[in-house]
Amino acid sequence: MSETAKWYVVHTYSGHENKVKANIEKLVENRCMEDIIMEVNVPTEENIEIKNGKKKVKQKKIFPGYVIIKMIMNDESWYVVRNTRGVTGFVGPGSKPIPLSDEEVKNMGIEKTITEIDMIVGDTIKVISGPFESFIGAIKEINMEKQTLKALISMFGRETPVELDFVQVEKLS
């Protein structure tokens, strides 16, 4: 079918997402399929609740009833996932699973794309998008984890620190 791994969405019984994830991971390990089914993901986000004046951080499922799987689709991988306890089926028309597009994967924040930059602290940059577009500035700090940088740009005659995404700037030579 397909030789590159793509992300697929699997429908599960509500509340069984983590069990399904564990079951699939166990099957993958037992059948030595790590090179076919690479990753099983239940997207969650931190939710801060304040109860009785105390902060509680809870993990809340972003898509209840769904598990996202990065896999190479073939008859064996389809069979293993489809017949896992708690799985009701793949998302797609009929029994044909449809992979998520790169844009959908990016928007869901499943796969973090690390952007490499050839800039260092002190470099002069030009802002190419966003509210500070066409401003010129100097890099003061680079945060690889957040994929952002802090720069001082000249605004209204004074240096103003701003935080920008890597994709919003270009290096001036």
Side-chain angles (χ1 to χ4, degrees):
M1 287 193 187
S2 152
E3 277 313 302
T4 56
K6 292 191 172 10
W7 287 97
Y8 293 89
V9 180
V10 174
H11 194 264
T12 68
Y13 295 123
S14 195
H16 286 71
E17 302 87 354
N18 291 329
K19 274 190 201 125
V20 166
K21 176 183 182 342
N23 289 344
I24 292 172
E25 286 171 345
K26 194 158 217 54
L27 281 166
V28 165
E29 194 180 316
N30 292 343
R31 292 178 175 228
C32 298
M33 294 176 69
E34 289 90 348
D35 54 338
I36 298 170
I37 300 175
M38 283 82 166
E39 211 175 315
V40 185
N41 198 323
V42 179
T44 58
E45 61 186 357
E46 281 189 358
N47 215 8
I48 298 169
E49 288 180 5
I50 298 173
K51 246 186 193 167
N52 304 332
K54 289 192 175 95
K55 262 190 192 179
K56 261 191 176 172
V57 179
K58 280 191 169 177
Q59 289 294 330
K60 181 177 173 247
K61 291 180 186 85
I62 301 172
F63 310 110
Y66 294 96
V67 173
I68 289 97
I69 302 175
K70 185 176 189 172
M71 61 191 262
I72 295 171
M73 185 57 72
N74 62 28
D75 291 342
E76 187 187 8
S77 62
W78 179 88
Y79 182 85
V80 166
V81 174
R82 182 65 189 87
N83 292 298
T84 300
R85 217 157 107 171
V87 171
T88 57
F90 279 94
V91 172
S95 62
K96 187 176 177 0
I98 301 290
L100 293 172
S101 69
D102 293 342
E103 195 173 313
E104 287 170 323
V105 171
K106 194 175 146 216
N107 292 341
M108 290 167 79
I110 305 168
E111 216 169 48
K112 301 283 184 258
T113 49
I114 301 294
T115 309
E116 289 295 323
I117 55 165
D118 63 338
M119 296 182 243
I120 57 169
V121 173
D123 280 351
T124 304
I125 50 120
K126 178 182 183 184
V127 183
I128 54 172
S129 70
F132 303 107
E133 191 173 339
S134 75
F135 279 91
I136 308 286
I139 299 175
K140 289 294 163 215
E141 196 180 300
I142 297 174
N143 185 334
M144 289 306 285
E145 213 168 275
K146 286 167 82 185
Q147 300 279 291
T148 60
L149 56 84
K150 286 196 175 109
L152 288 178
I153 58 173
S154 184
M155 199 185 310
F156 311 120
R158 60 157 73 130
E159 297 277 285
T160 308
V162 293
E163 191 169 312
L164 302 160
D165 289 330
F166 289 171
V167 292
Q168 289 182 286
V169 298
E170 71 181 16
K171 182 177 171 180
L172 294 177
S173 42

